[in-house]
């Protein structure tokens, strides 16, 4: 049976109403945290006319330099067919340029433009605000520890 996403309802307004067993399940808490993160980030990025995939692609180009569409797909985790659409929108907005690879004319190399760098600075600020909103109840030390632990979980399961 396929699980249904929690849409439009974010749980009880009184967390103490949730059974202790459910409040102690990492899988449930991670899932609910993902719902909250998705809701907050989607709202902020959509208001700015952007998507998470566009943001991930721009960051990857800034931090890793020009890359083929295939390499961008691998580095971001965005499926190749979806990457084509993401790059189409970013190219249309003049945030990236696609040019044939001089060593292999069958593939394109994607480069971040000055307009893309400017757009990314704006999106970085929005993403920082999203992190602050999501992690508001945590101290800076707790935030760093949470990130470290989530990275460890992600690394473990990504290696499989």
């Amino acid at each position: 049976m396929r699980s249904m996403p929690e849409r439009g309802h974010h749980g009880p307004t009184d967390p103490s109403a949730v059974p202790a067993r459910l409040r102690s399940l990492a899988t449930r808490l991670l899932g609910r945290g993902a719902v909250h993160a998705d809701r907050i980030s989607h709202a902020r990025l959509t208001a700015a006319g952007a998507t998470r995939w566009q943001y991930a692609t721009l960051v990857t180009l800034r931090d890793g330099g020009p890359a083929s569409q295939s390499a961008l797909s691998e580095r971001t985790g965005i499926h190749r067919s979806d990457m084509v659409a993401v790059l189409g929108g970013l190219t249309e907005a003049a945030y990236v340029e696609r040019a044939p690879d001089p060593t292999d004319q069958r593939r394109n190399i994607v480069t971040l433009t000055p307009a893309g760098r400017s757009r990314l600075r704006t999106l970085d600020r929005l993403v920082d605000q999203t992190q602050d909103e999501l992690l508001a109840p945590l101290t800076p030390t707790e935030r760093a520890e949470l990130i470290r632990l989530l990275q460890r979980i992600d690394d473990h399961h990504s290696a499989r």
Side-chain angles (χ1 to χ4, degrees), residues 32-133:
R32 289 188 47 75
V35 168
H36 297 307
D38 188 52
R39 175 179 44 82
I40 295 165
S41 65
H42 180 76
R44 285 192 188 270
L45 289 171
T46 299
T51 68
R52 284 184 304 249
W53 286 358
Q54 290 172 341
Y55 178 72
T57 301
L58 293 173
V59 167
T60 301
L61 287 168
R62 178 193 61 201
D63 295 356
S68 69
Q69 292 177 197
S70 176
L72 285 172
S73 179
E74 178 68 26
R75 291 179 198 161
T76 60
I78 299 170
H79 192 274
R80 288 178 185 209
S81 61
D82 294 323
M83 181 57 76
V84 170
V86 170
L87 291 174
L90 292 172
T91 301
E92 187 176 311
Y95 297 143
V96 303
E97 292 176 342
R98 288 189 277 193
D101 182 341
T103 63
D104 184 350
Q105 295 293 313
R106 294 170 297 169
R107 69 179 187 177
N108 286 320
I109 296 296
V110 182
T111 305
L112 189 62
T113 65
R117 287 186 186 283
S118 177
R119 175 68 166 162
L120 184 53
R121 282 191 295 275
T122 299
L123 295 178
D124 273 336
R125 285 190 296 274
L126 288 175
V127 169
D128 289 345
Q129 292 168 0
T130 298
Q131 302 308 298
D132 288 341
E133 182 177 347

Side-chain angles (χ1 to χ4, degrees), residues 17-28:
V18 177
R21 170 72 175 149
L22 294 179
R23 289 190 51 81
S24 69
L25 295 173
T27 51
R28 183 174 187 277

